[in-house]
Amino acid sequence: MNPLQFELDRLYGLGASASHGAAPAAAQGVRALVFELRPPAGWAQLSSVWTGVQSDLGLPPPAIAVSGVDAVQLWFSLASPTLPSAGELFLQGLRARYLPDLGSTHLRLIADAAQLPSAPPLETSPDRWSAFVAPDLASVFADTPWLDLAPNGEGQAALLRALEPIQQVAFEAALRQLGVLEEVPADLKLSGLPEVPTHEHGRADAERFLRRVMNDESVPMALRIEAAKGLLGHAKRS
């Protein structure tokens, strides 16, 4: 496995075969979520999502990519596989918070392994390549979301090497902070995720969840502080 394929597998569960266009198996859930914007929307709008997930939700930055055709993308990496329905809730929550007025024709949210685009780099047509790009170069591709030459594989691997996946407890906390868990259908089950308490019996589960977030050193400090505040609020209501 070359360095780029290693990073694709580490972040998204995409090994050598997936990097050449094969979609990962959906049976065990998904580890890659893609937030894609098409013209006239572009990096000017997508950057608000890229910045917001870090500053507001305390999540690691997603990879930035140009599709090689007509779109710019954010590739979110999950440390643990999740159900596509949970991934969809996460992406919809980001849309509602950061781009509520954006028309659906300019937006594509991908949380299904079967619909996941081939991971960059890929030649989409003669002299047009998809690629991961650095944040300070993303605006350069606003009107031409592709590279004219094949990107260097080691350079692509280096961009991904600097990124970290979203840990499960941080993903769960982000879902709550985005306010989307109340919309979870009854048959959706996320490993280790207590349901939103709607009555007295739910408080114990909620407090266990908040304690887990607060004590997990892998969770960003901002989320641990929010969990501590939530736990204090539960104590005052008891």
Side-chain angles (χ1 to χ4, degrees):
M1 186 180 292
N2 67 38
L4 177 55
Q5 291 168 351
F6 175 83
E7 294 302 328
L8 290 171
D9 189 57
R10 178 181 70 89
L11 291 172
Y12 308 113
L14 303 176
S17 61
S19 67
H20 287 88
Q28 297 180 343
V30 294
R31 290 186 53 212
L33 305 174
V34 178
F35 197 112
E36 178 181 277
L37 292 189
R38 296 169 176 165
W43 179 243
Q45 291 79 19
L46 196 59
S47 62
S48 66
V49 182
W50 185 81
T51 301
V53 296
Q54 298 174 72
S55 61
D56 300 339
L57 304 181
L59 300 178
I64 304 165
V66 290
S67 72
V69 182
D70 63 352
V72 289
Q73 305 166 332
L74 296 180
W75 284 66
F76 291 90
S77 164
L78 302 180
S80 302
T82 192
L83 295 177
S85 48
E88 179 73 18
L89 283 173
F90 175 74
L91 295 175
Q92 289 287 2
L94 295 181
R95 177 193 182 179
R97 172 168 291 202
Y98 299 109
L99 298 172
D101 300 323
L102 187 69
S104 59
T105 57
H106 309 307
L107 175 72
R108 187 180 178 209
L109 307 178
I110 308 166
D112 188 332
Q115 298 176 7
L116 191 69
S118 297
L122 182 71
E123 189 173 22
T124 58
S125 63
D127 299 326
R128 290 191 180 185
W129 288 79
S130 65
F132 293 106
V133 299
D136 57 347
L137 293 179
S139 61
V140 174
F141 302 97
D143 298 321
T144 55
W146 60 78
L147 271 64
D148 297 329
L149 300 173
N152 177 269
E154 179 53 42
Q156 293 285 281
L159 285 173
L160 297 182
R161 195 174 297 127
L163 304 178
E164 293 297 331
I166 302 171
Q167 298 299 318
Q168 177 68 16
V169 68
F171 180 66
E172 295 170 1
L175 287 172
R176 291 182 179 275
Q177 197 167 345
L178 289 169
V180 297
L181 278 181
E182 292 182 357
E183 302 171 18
V184 173
D187 60 348
L188 175 60
K189 300 298 179 183
L190 289 177
S191 176
L193 180 62
E195 296 179 1
V196 175
T198 56
H199 47 71
E200 195 68 22
H201 295 300
R203 288 190 177 180
D205 284 342
E207 289 178 3
R208 279 193 292 271
F209 172 79
L210 292 171
R211 288 185 186 280
R212 182 153 59 92
V213 173
M214 184 179 67
N215 295 324
D216 192 328
E217 295 183 357
S218 68
V219 176
M221 182 57 68
L223 292 180
R224 295 172 67 188
I225 292 173
E226 288 301 317
K229 291 178 180 177
L231 193 61
L232 181 62
H234 274 276
K236 289 180 177 179
R237 289 193 297 270
S238 298

